[in-house]
Amino acid sequence: MKPGFGRIETNFRNNWISYWSSHKWVTENVSRTETRSITYNGGIIYVDASKADDTGNGLTPGTAKKTITAAYNIAVDGGILQLADGTYLMSAEAGGYLLLNTGTKGVLIRGNSSNNGAVILQQNTPSSTFTVRMRNCKECDFKDLTITSNQAHALISITEDYVYKNAIFNNCVLENTYVGAGYSYIVSKVATVVDNVTPMQYDFINCTLKHNAYLVIGLSGGLNNIFTFMNCNFILSATVFRIQNTYTGKVATYNCTFTQNSSQIIIQFGEDTAVPAANLGMIDFRSNIVTMTGTYTGHGVLFGRGTKTVYAVNNQIYLPAVTNASSIGLVIKTTSDNVGDSYFAGNYVVAPRAFYIKGGSKTTVKYNSFISNENTFACFGFTNHKNGADEALSRLNVVQHNKFSCYKYGIQNYPTAGESEDSLITLKTNNINYNYYCIVDKYSRDGNTDIEYTWSNKNSFWGVNTNDNKSRLVGNTQLPITLPS
């Protein structure tokens, strides 16, 4: 990193944060998915882990049931299971985990509203399969409690073999402390889909999700399913949020914080390098803060292959300069069906390589601020293969009214292994205009020819100056800066 960049980055942020703020809210042109609120009036069944057994009738705190399963069995639709403070061992539940398996019954499982760590549902049985399994339940809400495990399994499993299943987790801590090889899920929804019509929604509101290994949100299922994460805090040592090629509904993530401290992509929707096996549904990623801490290699947020409709607005992404020089803040590999299906606006990204389109197409990118805090790569880059089996071509993207600050290059076309596409063809198929470039070094670099271009001869980066090429460069502005001594 060049000397004095800390001050430069501070200046970039101070000068451009007002630009970002002035445009971020105008992009809120798609309504948010609403979380649900359900009234439970079926009476209260009391549960207390300190009781000797389940012989009590559960109608008063003094006659509480010992296990949650026993209370669930006698509750009616709309009932409340009120858990006393304490630790509830899942080994004491029928089957060794909490199974919610009554399709005509919806219940609220409630802990301590003033301390969600006072009521703990704990799984520490070796080779256990779940902590909580929602197999066939009309509705189930968890509120004001902690669900934890130290095993390599799904902390929460939602099995979609039945319809009319919904869930709300409100003010809960979901934590898996397992450390070991392979994936272990915080939330897993996998099974045979029997209904692609009925909307099913799963809300996580004001929750903390923590994991020592991989936090994987593994989703699959109906076309109308919705997963909503609102005001949640994700903390872990590997991939924070990962949805690959099995989800077909909608994922909405609003006002959440993501903090990661290991060499993994922080958030990944879709596939990175593999050919996607299926198309993901709509991704609505809004007003989140994504931060990597430490010296690591992973990217910030990747909207990968298999994503077609992405709405990413007003997010902040921070990767420190001490991360690997190839770490990218925001990566787009989205291949939309129609121009504008995917919309990225109002985002503020600071990373060694702030912004990258790799095989993404028909995406609109406007009113973002991208800052590169490392002096090796460009702030904004492309990569294409002509016929790569796992690559799409970056076509018909619209990149306008953004601010790019960079030490090395404003734009760079990167060569890759295999048959790389010529820079002229790559860039001529995209509209990159009305942007601002704050450049310390070169305007652009042609990765195929290793030729660097300054602002004065930047048109050469596009090849012959035909009218078509000129129209794609119209309105771009240079904002020069002076390095501190």
Side-chain angles (χ1 to χ4, degrees):
M1 186 174 68
K2 291 188 176 183
F5 187 77
R7 280 173 284 172
I8 288 292
E9 182 179 335
T10 299
N11 290 336
F12 287 159
R13 180 173 174 80
N14 291 340
N15 291 336
W16 290 6
I17 196 75
S18 60
Y19 173 86
W20 170 63
S21 298
S22 65
H23 288 92
K24 56 187 283 191
W25 303 119
V26 303
T27 61
E28 293 276 8
N29 54 13
V30 173
S31 60
R32 295 191 179 207
T33 297
E34 295 294 330
T35 55
R36 293 160 302 121
S37 178
I38 300 167
T39 300
Y40 291 90
N41 52 17
I44 299 176
I45 303 297
Y46 293 91
V47 191
D48 189 340
S50 68
K51 295 296 183 181
D53 52 42
D54 285 320
T55 56
N57 60 20
L59 300 181
T60 68
T63 60
K65 296 288 186 182
K66 177 181 178 62
T67 65
I68 303 171
T69 300
Y72 176 70
N73 288 340
I74 65 171
V76 299
D77 184 30
I80 298 173
L81 310 188
Q82 181 61 58
L83 277 56
D85 289 0
T87 298
Y88 295 77
L89 298 178
M90 295 298 98
S91 57
E93 303 293 332
Y97 56 84
L98 178 58
L99 175 62
L100 306 174
N101 196 34
T102 304
T104 58
K105 182 191 300 186
V107 299
L108 167 63
I109 301 176
R110 187 170 65 189
N112 186 328
S113 61
S114 61
N115 179 9
N116 61 10
V119 175
I120 302 173
L121 280 57
Q122 183 179 90
Q123 179 64 274
N124 55 13
T125 304
S127 302
S128 57
T129 51
F130 310 101
T131 301
V132 175
R133 185 183 186 191
M134 301 174 61
R135 183 174 180 269
N136 176 26
C137 50
K138 173 184 175 184
E139 184 86 45
C140 190
D141 293 2
F142 292 82
K143 188 176 182 182
D144 306 326
L145 49 79
T146 293
I147 303 175
T148 183
S149 175
N150 59 7
Q151 302 300 308
H153 65 201
L155 188 75
I156 309 294
S157 175
I158 302 173
T159 309
E160 197 176 88
D161 290 335
Y162 306 89
V163 297
Y164 305 115
K165 186 171 10 300
N166 302 279
I168 301 175
F169 294 83
N170 193 340
N171 189 36
C172 293
V173 177
L174 308 177
E175 180 176 16
N176 194 323
T177 60
Y178 170 78
V179 178
Y183 295 113
S184 54
Y185 294 81
I186 288 288
V187 180
S188 175
K189 185 173 78 67
V190 291
T192 302
V193 179
V194 298
D195 186 348
N196 255 329
V197 178
T198 305
M200 288 177 271
Q201 185 164 343
Y202 311 95
D203 294 337
F204 296 78
I205 308 166
N206 302 317
C207 291
T208 298
L209 295 89
K210 303 170 67 176
H211 205 314
N212 284 342
Y214 289 93
L215 171 53
V216 180
I217 311 297
L219 308 180
S220 66
L223 298 174
N224 294 315
N225 289 349
I226 299 172
F227 268 74
T228 303
F229 298 84
M230 184 174 291
N231 303 322
C232 292
N233 187 15
F234 294 76
I235 307 171
L236 71 161
S237 299
T239 301
V240 175
F241 202 107
R242 184 169 179 166
I243 300 175
Q244 290 180 278
N245 59 15
T246 56
Y247 183 69
T248 56
K250 177 180 179 180
V251 177
T253 307
Y254 306 134
N255 303 101
C256 294
T257 60
F258 299 84
T259 305
Q260 185 226 55
N261 62 352
S262 75
S263 296
Q264 304 288 335
I265 296 172
I266 301 178
I267 299 170
Q268 177 178 338
F269 299 102
E271 295 286 356
D272 184 7
T273 57
V275 178
N279 294 320
L280 276 70
M282 180 179 178
I283 307 296
D284 191 356
F285 192 75
R286 231 182 294 190
S287 302
N288 303 289
I289 299 176
V290 181
T291 305
M292 180 180 289
T293 60
T295 306
Y296 301 114
T297 305
H299 303 319
V301 182
L302 184 148
F303 295 95
R305 301 181 181 100
T307 57
K308 284 185 172 291
T309 303
V310 175
Y311 189 70
V313 170
N314 300 336
N315 302 289
Q316 300 177 57
I317 304 171
Y318 301 97
L319 274 62
V322 293
T323 53
N324 187 281
S326 62
S327 294
I328 305 167
L330 177 60
V331 185
I332 296 177
K333 298 184 178 181
T334 293
T335 305
S336 300
D337 290 326
N338 304 293
V339 174
D341 279 351
S342 292
Y343 188 68
F344 294 75
N347 300 293
Y348 186 89
V349 183
V350 180
R353 298 162 73 185
F355 175 53
Y356 196 7
I357 296 179
K358 185 177 183 181
S361 65
K362 302 178 182 177
T363 298
T364 299
V365 183
K366 289 186 174 182
Y367 303 118
N368 304 280
S369 289
F370 297 106
I371 297 175
S372 176
N373 57 8
E374 202 276 338
N375 68 344
T376 302
F377 293 102
C379 188
F380 172 27
F382 279 95
T383 295
N384 271 343
H385 285 179
K386 285 183 178 179
N387 299 299
D390 64 345
E391 298 276 359
L393 293 176
S394 297
R395 295 289 188 259
L396 303 179
N397 296 290
V398 177
V399 183
Q400 297 176 333
H401 305 293
N402 303 284
K403 284 198 172 183
F404 297 97
S405 67
C406 40
Y407 260 134
K408 195 66 176 176
Y409 309 105
I411 305 174
Q412 185 169 0
N413 191 69
Y414 297 99
T416 59
E419 190 177 9
S420 295
E421 183 178 70
D422 180 81
S423 302
L424 171 63
I425 299 174
T426 297
L427 296 178
K428 280 180 65 174
T429 60
N430 297 274
N431 284 316
I432 306 173
N433 46 36
Y434 302 104
N435 298 294
Y436 297 90
Y437 296 87
C438 191
I439 303 168
V440 175
D441 201 334
K442 302 295 192 301
Y443 168 75
S444 59
R445 178 177 183 271
D446 185 333
N448 299 115
T449 62
D450 288 330
I451 297 176
E452 297 176 337
Y453 298 90
T454 63
W455 189 263
S456 61
N457 70 351
K458 63 182 182 298
N459 289 349
S460 300
F461 191 49
W462 300 78
V464 179
N465 282 322
T466 64
N467 290 331
D468 180 57
N469 290 342
K470 287 181 179 179
S471 68
R472 298 179 188 277
L473 283 173
V474 66
N476 290 314
T477 303
Q478 182 187 22
L479 301 175
I481 63 171
T482 302
L483 281 174
S485 58

